[in-house]
Amino acid sequence: MTPRRFLPAAIAFTLALPAYGYPEFQQFVKKNSGRGTNCAMCHVHPDGPEGLKPGQIGSLSTEELNQLNRARAAFEPGQNAHNPILNAFGDSIINTLGKTKFLQIRLHPEELPEALGDTSDLDRDGIPDSKEYIAGTHPLDDSSGEPASLFLINLRRYAFHLVMMVVATGAGLYGLNAMLHWFDLLMSSGRDKDASEK
Amino acid sequence: MGSERMNAVGAFLRDRLPLSHFSYEEMVGKKLVPVHRMSWGYYFGGLVLFFFLVQLGTGVMLLFYYQPTVSDAHASVEYITKHVGGGALIRNLHAWASSCMIFCLFVHLLTTFAMKAFEKPREITWISGVILLMVTFGFGFTGYLLPWHQIAVNATKVGLQSIEEAGQYMPGALADFPRYVKELIQGEAAVGQATLSRFYALHVVILPLLTFATLGLHVLMVQLHGMSQGVDHPTGKTERFFPFFLLKDFSLWGLVFLAVITLALCLPFESLFAYPLFEPFDPLGSTPEGIKPEWYFFFLYYPLELLPFWVVMLAMNAGIVLLLAVPWIFRRSSRRTLSMIAAAAALYLVTMTLFGDAIYTFFKGVPG
């Protein structure tokens, strides 16, 4: 089948599919990381695409449904599609890989990080999205990340702030030391004076 | 007979409340701190006070933005974390300091016990300390619900449910009492707005007032009676409380502050949990895995999951009575015996906190 014939057939096939998510990825992440995850890693709603709640297919307007259909037809990478049931990470997967490759990888979810590469970090927490996927942390939440990596990245990021804090605390303690010694001298000289008067 | 009893009460109170010591010279100027191998134990009370002050400062800052309604609580916490300048740091500091406070409180309790610092005439100091421990657990339990995320609401439900379950072991009309207590705390049929309002009032008004009163009494007692001897064979060495011991205390506060602010700045407290637990609570949504109380309740939580409910409840109530009666029960025990009991209690707490999940998995075959 030539590409010109394949594309409409593929669109028709995709639109005819029920709106299931792809739980293979979630299952892999949970098994690999040992962390509890849910559909919110890639979808707008944590319970997935089906349903009537905000971010689920049943809640979409006509315009959003058209957007959904256009996004489902983004078979090639780099089409900058925005799917209203996916979050920014979900969109980024489809825009980086294209739907065709995504559907191939679905059978091997462990290959997704390599396919995504290490360049994208949507939440700017310093941990690439692909590594967050493996670790089962949220790629769109900068307070979610593998704790040791997050600690070391932030330690480098805030090194200057921490040095200033050490200096300020040291200076504060030095001043407090001098003040308490001065107060002690003041009180003991008062005691000596009282004793000599008696 | 009556006057003898009055005299006995008068003597009891004079020993416990030596108001003749109520002067700067007695409480600060001339106060001496024993120096020996257990001297490090004297610093933990100060650390608890330090973390309480951090909680107070950061808690007041959070109050400016937090909205105690089920519709806005989670969003306001998100707003604090993501949009308020320094908000994430303050919130993390509040979370880390609460855990550090409870850790130091456990250590303070155990070292005070091992050093026999509860013996006559320090019974009031001990009892006020036990009350502060309960109040601090109250802070932990009520504060956990306020962000109104999945783990907060579901863990609170489990905690409140365990109160109601106590009813099945009570006779006759008393069987309904735990349910009334639960409904009184909960405020309505299920955990909702009334619960949030009550927990908020408890967390930001009632418990802080109770803490001020009890802490005031506790610190006053410590200053009136001075530091306890701490060991069976004193070295005879002492140091002046003011300014030398106090300066060491403040220096330790400075070091601990740097450690906690480094943690708060570099390691978001939430990163230690799986992210679905921090999504807004959805009463119609599925409950995520891994709903658990905070780590400092693990010593109760895992036994509750493993043993019959009545066994744990009985042990818990007996434990509270035992803690309050420590100055009388252990008044003749040697410090060696007390140290062994404290070590066993510490071992239990550490094992349940670090390996509770593994123990649960071993017995039940599935993770806790």
Side-chain angles (χ1 to χ4, degrees), chain B residues 48-265:
Chain B
V48 176
L49 176 63
F50 167 72
F51 284 120
F52 174 69
L53 295 174
V54 173
Q55 291 301 89
L56 198 67
T58 51
V60 167
M61 289 184 204
L62 293 172
L63 275 182
F64 284 107
Y65 294 96
Y66 176 73
Q67 302 283 327
T69 61
V70 293
S71 55
D72 295 340
H74 188 271
S76 67
V77 172
E78 285 274 300
Y79 181 76
I80 290 168
T81 312
K82 303 224 182 292
H83 302 289
V84 176
L89 175 65
I90 296 298
R91 191 166 163 245
N92 264 327
L93 205 52
H94 198 72
W96 277 111
S98 70
S99 281
C100 292
M101 182 177 166
I102 290 182
F103 173 77
C104 289
L105 200 54
F106 277 133
V107 179
H108 183 47
L109 177 88
L110 293 173
T111 51
T112 308
F113 180 79
M115 290 161 80
K116 209 175 181 181
F118 53 76
E119 68 182 336
K120 187 186 169 187
R122 294 186 173 81
E123 294 96 332
I124 297 177
T125 319
W126 174 267
I127 291 170
S128 58
V130 173
I131 294 170
L132 281 171
L133 177 77
M134 306 295 167
V135 171
T136 309
F137 282 146
F139 270 118
F141 187 59
T142 53
Y144 207 37
L145 180 71
L146 301 187
W148 205 254
H149 45 53
Q150 291 282 10
I151 192 169
V153 180
N154 285 298
T156 304
K157 278 183 181 175
V158 174
L160 290 173
Q161 193 55 39
S162 63
I163 297 175
E164 189 174 358
E165 281 173 25
Q168 60 187 301
Y169 302 105
M170 292 191 164
L174 276 177
D176 281 337
F177 181 68
R179 187 169 55 80
Y180 291 135
V181 173
K182 181 197 155 195
E183 283 173 5
L184 184 73
I185 300 171
Q186 199 166 272
E188 55 189 315
V191 173
Q193 180 57 56
T195 322
L196 182 61
S197 299
R198 282 164 196 233
F199 275 45
Y200 179 68
L202 281 166
H203 194 74
V204 305
V205 181
I206 296 164
L207 292 178
L209 286 177
L210 203 58
T211 305
F212 284 130
T214 320
L215 192 62
L217 178 69
H218 190 75
V219 173
L220 178 71
M221 288 295 124
V222 172
Q223 294 307 104
L224 282 176
H225 290 296
M227 300 298 199
S228 69
Q229 183 180 293
V231 287
D232 283 330
H233 306 290
T235 58
K237 288 183 196 165
T238 54
E239 67 176 336
R240 283 172 56 202
F241 173 76
F242 186 84
F244 302 108
F245 179 82
L246 199 61
L247 272 172
K248 282 185 192 168
D249 227 358
F250 285 150
S251 303
L252 185 64
W253 288 21
L255 282 176
V256 166
F257 169 73
L258 287 173
V260 175
I261 205 147
T262 304
L263 274 177
L265 205 55

Side-chain angles (χ1 to χ4, degrees), chain A residues 30 35-41 45-47 53 136-138 141-148 150-152 154-155 158 161-162 165-166 169 173 176-177 180-181 183-184 187 191, chain B residues 24-25 29-30 78 81-82 89 240 242-244 246-247 250-252 254-255 257-258 261-263 265-276 279 282 284-286 288-289:
Chain A
K30 276 177 81 169
R35 281 180 170 242
T37 59
N38 63 7
C39 304
M41 183 179 264
H45 199 279
D47 288 343
K53 295 174 199 158
T137 59
H138 205 302
D141 182 352
D142 62 0
S143 61
S144 175
E146 205 275 307
L150 213 52
F151 180 76
L152 292 174
N154 285 329
L155 199 61
Y158 297 117
H161 299 74
L162 289 170
M165 216 103 68
V166 170
T169 308
L173 285 174
L176 193 67
N177 185 24
L180 290 186
H181 277 292
F183 190 71
D184 182 45
M187 295 306 285
R191 267 198 299 270
Chain B
Y24 170 80
E25 284 301 315
K30 288 183 187 167
E78 285 274 300
T81 312
K82 303 224 182 292
L89 175 65
R240 283 172 56 202
F242 186 84
F244 302 108
L246 199 61
L247 272 172
F250 285 150
S251 303
L252 185 64
L255 282 176
F257 169 73
L258 287 173
I261 205 147
T262 304
L263 274 177
L265 205 55
C266 301
L267 188 61
F269 200 74
E270 292 180 2
S271 69
L272 302 173
F273 300 83
Y275 69 83
E279 284 166 358
D282 178 3
L284 302 173
S286 48
E289 296 164 25

Side-chain angles (χ1 to χ4, degrees), chain A:
Chain A
M1 192 182 277
T2 62
R4 193 176 284 182
R5 285 186 182 174
F6 172 76
L7 194 61
I11 293 171
F13 177 70
T14 311
L15 294 180
L17 278 175
Y20 297 130
Y22 299 100
E24 298 85 355
F25 295 96
Q26 188 191 348
Q27 284 158 5
F28 164 73
V29 168
K30 276 177 81 169
K31 196 174 167 191
N32 186 59
S33 68
R35 281 180 170 242
T37 59
N38 63 7
C39 304
M41 183 179 264
C42 304
H43 286 267
V44 172
H45 199 279
D47 288 343
E50 283 185 286
L52 301 170
K53 295 174 199 158
Q56 294 185 319
I57 290 177
S59 74
L60 300 182
S61 64
T62 313
E63 173 53 30
E64 285 170 330
L65 282 170
N66 290 335
Q67 215 174 7
L68 173 72
N69 291 335
R70 282 198 296 276
R72 281 177 169 179
F75 289 97
E76 297 302 318
Q79 295 196 19
N80 204 21
H82 170 60
N83 189 328
I85 59 166
L86 293 183
N87 64 23
F89 180 56
D91 276 342
S92 134
I93 293 173
I94 298 300
N95 288 323
T96 307
L97 305 180
K99 189 86 180 253
T100 309
K101 187 160 186 196
F102 172 77
L103 291 173
Q104 287 167 359
I105 282 184
R106 177 187 173 185
L107 301 172
H108 304 280
E110 71 281 2
E111 290 175 9
L112 184 63
E114 197 185 333
L116 284 176
D118 274 358
T119 50
S120 174
D121 177 16
L122 292 165
D123 57 7
R124 296 181 186 174
D125 61 1
I127 305 174
D129 300 337
S130 52
K131 285 195 174 151
E132 295 231 37
Y133 166 79
I134 295 173
T137 59
H138 205 302
L140 299 176
D141 182 352
D142 62 0
S143 61
S144 175
E146 205 275 307
S149 310
L150 213 52
F151 180 76
L152 292 174
I153 289 163
N154 285 329
L155 199 61
R156 279 194 293 273
R157 185 178 286 172
Y158 297 117
F160 176 73
H161 299 74
L162 289 170
V163 169
M164 293 311 288
M165 216 103 68
V166 170
V167 172
T169 308
L173 285 174
Y174 178 78
L176 193 67
N177 185 24
M179 196 177 76
L180 290 186
H181 277 292
W182 166 78
F183 190 71
D184 182 45
L185 275 175
L186 196 74
M187 295 306 285
S188 53
S189 66
R191 267 198 299 270
D192 293 344
K193 201 176 161 188
D194 287 348
S196 62
E197 277 174 9
K198 279 178 188 170

Side-chain angles (χ1 to χ4, degrees), chain B residues 14-69:
Chain B
R14 262 196 307 280
D15 285 347
R16 270 76 184 174
L17 294 164
L19 293 176
S20 57
H21 293 183
F22 195 81
S23 68
Y24 170 80
E25 284 301 315
E26 290 288 337
M27 290 166 68
V28 181
K30 288 183 187 167
K31 186 177 170 182
L32 295 173
V33 180
V35 177
H36 48 71
R37 63 186 171 80
M38 287 292 288
S39 290
W40 57 269
Y42 294 130
Y43 293 95
F44 276 89
L47 283 179
V48 176
L49 176 63
F50 167 72
F51 284 120
F52 174 69
L53 295 174
V54 173
Q55 291 301 89
L56 198 67
T58 51
V60 167
M61 289 184 204
L62 293 172
L63 275 182
F64 284 107
Y65 294 96
Y66 176 73
Q67 302 283 327
T69 61

